[in-house]
Amino acid sequence: MAWQLATFSAGLLREPEPLQGVNIEIVRHGEPVRLTHVLDAVEPRVRPDGRAAFPTEGKAGEGRTNRLDGVVVFSCLDFLEEERPLHEQESIVDLAGPGAEFTPFARETCVVLTFRPGEGGNQDLEARARRETLALAERLAEPTLEAEPARVETFAMDAGDRSLPRVAAMIQLSDLGPLYYQFVYGTPAGQAGLPRIVDPAELLDGAVTCGEYHWAAMRNPTIFFQRNALVRSLYAEHGKRLSFAGLVLMRGYEQSADDKQRAAEAAAARAQELGADGVVITTDAGGNSHTDVMLTCRACERAGIRTTVILAEETDPESTRPILTDWVPEADSIVSTGNLEELVEEWKPERVLGGDTLLDGTVAANAGPIPVRNYLGAANQMGQLTLGARTE
C-alpha cells in the first residue's frame, strides 16, 4: 500500500493545476484523529476483467468486483474562501471519542488524502480531487486480484414469491448545481434521465458517486452507495418477508413547484412499472429536497403504493422543538434519522488531518461541543446509520 500511495502522490505533483499536490496519511483503527474539510469517503474496488470500478460508460452490477473490506479512502479539501459552496458547512469525521459513535468509519483503516489547492476555480478543484480519489480507491484494491476472497457475495433476484408484498427502494440524488451533484455513471443526476429504474446491483457496484458538499450529516458519500444498507437489506429479505421489486433513482432539488410535481408523479409511475406494493423513499441533504420527497410520497400513496420515508429532523428556532422541513398528510410512516442540532460532547484529538482550522475559524483540535450536522453521514437519510432502534 505504501508504494501505491507514494506513486499516486508523485503522479499528482507532476500536474500542478488545479491542485498543488496531496498529503497522504494512513490512520489505523481507533487512533485519536479528527478529519476536517472531508469531501467524500470511498471503499476501494477493482474489477478483474479490467473494466472501471466507477464506470462512466457501460453498466455496473454485472460480473465480478473485488472490494477491499475494512478500508476507506477519505478526500479532504478546503475550498477557496471566495468561491465556497453557498450552503457549505464543516464536514468532520472523528475516528475516536464520542463523535466516532455516529459514523462507521472508526472501525476502518483510513487512507486520508488532504489536497492542496493550486490555481483555478473550485469546480476544477472539486473535479480533479474527486477523480483522483476514485482512481486511488481503485488502485488500492489491485492487490486483491492476486488473492483468494475471504467471502463472495452475489446480488441477484429471481421473480419472487407472488404472495409476498413487493417493496421497492427509491433513492434520491442531489442535483442543485456545481458542487452539489451526485453523479450517475459520471453524469450529474439532473442530466441522467431521472427518475429511472436501475438494477439495484448497479448502485452497489459504483454507478453512483458523490460530488455534493453541504450539510455533512445528511450527505451521501460514495461509500454509502457502495455499501447501501437499504438495498442490501431488501436483497436479504427477498423471498422471505418481501419480494424486492427493484430500485428507482430520482432527483432532489427540482427548482419549480410544477417541476417538483411532475417529477414526483414520474417517480410514482416508475414504482408502478416495478409492480411495487410499497416503497421506501430516501432523502438527500436538506431544504427543498425534503419537499421533493414529500410530493413523491403523496404521488405514490395516491397511486395505491404504501410509503415509508427516511428523514432527518431540525430544530425550530422559536420553540426549540424538533421539526420536519416539510410534510404531507400521506406521510404517515416516517423513520427519523435524528436531530441535526444535537450537540456531540467535546473531545480533543491528538492529531487533526484535513485542516487545522474549521470553516468558522475555530481551532479544530479545541472546537468544543460540535452539532451533529457537522459529522459526515451522522444523520444519513438513506438508512446508513450506526445508531438505531428495532422492534420485533
Side-chain angles (χ1 to χ4, degrees), residues 7-23:
T7 303
F8 170 81
S9 181
L12 185 60
L13 286 169
R14 285 196 294 268
E15 301 180 50
E17 296 183 3
L19 297 171
Q20 287 187 342
V22 60
N23 295 330

Side-chain angles (χ1 to χ4, degrees), residues 184-356:
V184 182
Y185 291 106
T187 299
Q191 303 171 31
L194 306 187
R196 80 190 223 197
I197 296 170
V198 300
D199 185 332
E202 292 179 70
L203 186 80
L204 300 179
D205 198 32
V208 179
T209 55
C210 176
E212 61 153 339
Y213 310 115
H214 58 354
W215 289 302
M218 298 189 287
R219 189 187 303 172
N220 293 322
T222 299
I223 198 170
F224 285 0
F225 297 113
Q226 295 174 288
R227 299 180 179 178
N228 190 267
L230 172 60
V231 168
R232 293 175 67 91
S233 294
L234 291 172
Y235 268 121
E237 294 298 330
H238 180 69
K240 300 174 184 176
R241 292 196 299 161
L242 55 85
S243 180
F244 188 9
L247 172 63
V248 177
L249 298 180
M250 60 185 197
R251 178 187 175 186
Y253 295 106
E254 296 287 352
Q255 289 301 296
S256 74
D258 288 343
D259 286 344
K260 286 179 179 297
Q261 186 60 44
R262 278 192 292 268
E265 291 174 359
R270 300 294 87 77
Q272 286 181 300
E273 291 173 24
L274 290 172
D277 300 306
V279 294
V280 181
I281 306 174
T282 75
T283 310
D284 188 281
N288 79 56
S289 65
H290 285 215
T291 299
D292 294 308
V293 163
M294 286 299 172
L295 291 176
T296 301
C297 168
R298 170 177 283 172
C300 288
E301 291 281 352
R302 289 180 174 178
I305 302 170
R306 298 304 308 274
T307 62
T308 290
V309 172
I310 306 177
L311 283 172
E313 302 172 29
E314 300 183 57
T315 297
D316 184 343
E318 296 183 2
S319 68
T320 69
R321 298 178 62 184
I323 59 171
L324 298 177
T325 303
D326 203 348
W327 179 77
V328 295
E330 290 84 356
D332 57 4
S333 176
I334 297 176
V335 176
S336 170
T337 62
N339 187 338
L340 300 172
E341 307 306 321
E342 293 291 327
L343 293 177
V344 178
E345 65 182 274
E346 181 177 8
W347 174 70
K348 294 185 178 181
E350 292 183 9
R351 288 197 298 155
V352 174
L353 302 178
D356 293 332

Side-chain angles (χ1 to χ4, degrees), residues 43-60:
E43 181 179 78
R45 301 277 182 94
V46 67
R47 300 185 199 280
D49 62 9
R51 291 181 299 131
F54 304 95
T56 57
E57 57 184 17
K59 183 183 178 184

Side-chain angles (χ1 to χ4, degrees), residues 19-57:
L19 297 171
Q20 287 187 342
V22 60
N23 295 330
I24 305 176
E25 296 210 32
I26 298 175
V27 181
R28 307 295 180 183
H29 174 271
E31 288 190 42
V33 174
R34 169 168 288 164
L35 310 184
T36 65
H37 310 323
V38 182
L39 299 186
D40 198 9
V42 186
E43 181 179 78
R45 301 277 182 94
V46 67
R47 300 185 199 280
D49 62 9
R51 291 181 299 131
F54 304 95
T56 57
E57 57 184 17

Side-chain angles (χ1 to χ4, degrees), residues 125-171:
L125 287 171
E126 182 278 330
R128 181 71 186 279
R130 174 167 41 85
R131 191 163 60 244
E132 297 292 346
T133 302
L134 296 177
L136 179 62
E138 188 166 1
R139 189 175 302 176
L140 288 176
E142 288 177 356
T144 67
L145 298 175
E146 306 300 324
E148 287 297 317
R151 65 181 184 278
V152 176
E153 296 178 288
T154 301
F155 297 96
M157 297 184 299
D158 55 25
D161 186 338
R162 294 184 180 275
S163 68
L164 295 173
R166 289 181 59 79
V167 179
M170 303 184 79
I171 305 289

Side-chain angles (χ1 to χ4, degrees), residues 34 36 347 349 352 355-368 370:
R34 169 168 288 164
T36 65
W347 174 70
V352 174
D356 293 332
T357 305
L358 303 183
L359 295 179
D360 63 3
T362 305
V363 176
N366 298 285
I370 296 174

